[in-house]
Amino acid sequence: MTQEGVPVDPETVEPIGSEAAETNLAGEQFDVEIVPGADISPYPQVNKDIINDCTVIVSKIDYADLWGPPKSNVKTYQSVRLDRQSPPPDFQNVQVQINNRPAPSTMAGILVDHSLAEKYLKPGQKEFVQRKARDAMLRSRDTKKMMTVRRKKS
């Protein structure tokens, strides 16, 4: 991937707007935070190709992928897949797992607070939640910790 003709390393690129709060058309602030959680343990063996595949599948996460009952293969890309696992109460549990590998296969995961479900959002906020979820998934991969995505507490 290049940016203005300069090679870009997908492992070091921060998603645009990852730290900024958003405002809706009425000027109300809407902020979402990413909070590190427990270690993903045991963490699977990965290589550069698997890490790159994870970067690609994370870039393809849509807001709708975050919601629904547990399901394997919500999305797939080469050596990895996006799954929704059984969640704790009030959250969605979304994970990137390595294909065709016995446990451990989870290399990134996020818990998305139900307060970020569409019925609680205003127009334009879904896109912000989607970006934060992608950012959290990359942070999870890089830190080997589950990340929680929730409304920022005042």
Side-chain angles (χ1 to χ4, degrees):
M1 173 173 20
T2 63
Q3 187 174 22
E4 297 178 9
V6 179
V8 175
D9 180 356
E11 293 183 33
T12 60
V13 174
E14 226 10 71
I16 295 172
S18 63
E19 296 303 322
E22 296 241 327
T23 55
N24 63 22
L25 296 176
E28 300 165 320
Q29 192 170 33
F30 174 71
D31 201 3
V32 174
E33 64 183 353
I34 299 168
V35 181
D39 290 341
I40 298 172
S41 180
Y43 196 81
Q45 287 285 97
V46 297
N47 59 36
K48 184 178 176 183
D49 292 335
I50 292 172
I51 291 168
N52 287 338
D53 290 351
C54 180
T55 302
V56 171
I57 203 162
V58 167
S59 74
K60 295 176 181 292
I61 293 173
D62 294 322
Y63 178 83
D65 297 333
L66 304 173
W67 308 102
K71 179 182 177 186
S72 188
N73 298 312
V74 172
K75 278 193 164 58
T76 60
Y77 181 78
Q78 294 187 26
S79 65
V80 297
R81 69 184 183 276
L82 186 71
D83 288 357
R84 285 191 304 263
Q85 299 290 323
S86 295
D90 301 322
F91 291 91
Q92 288 292 121
N93 181 354
V94 184
Q95 299 180 6
V96 175
Q97 299 192 352
I98 304 168
N99 290 330
N100 304 315
R101 186 172 299 178
S105 65
T106 300
M107 64 178 297
I110 60 174
L111 298 175
V112 184
D113 192 299
H114 282 172
S115 71
L116 299 173
E118 185 172 15
K119 65 183 179 179
Y120 301 114
L121 301 180
K122 295 182 178 174
Q125 292 178 333
K126 285 191 328 186
E127 293 79 8
F128 185 58
V129 172
Q130 175 182 291
R131 288 195 308 274
K132 290 299 245 187
R134 289 176 179 178
D135 187 16
M137 195 67 84
L138 292 176
R139 289 184 193 190
S140 173
R141 179 202 62 197
D142 295 345
T143 63
K144 301 177 182 170
K145 292 184 176 294
M146 286 293 289
M147 296 288 166
T148 298
V149 181
R150 65 184 186 198
R151 287 181 187 264
K152 189 168 187 171
K153 297 183 178 182
S154 302

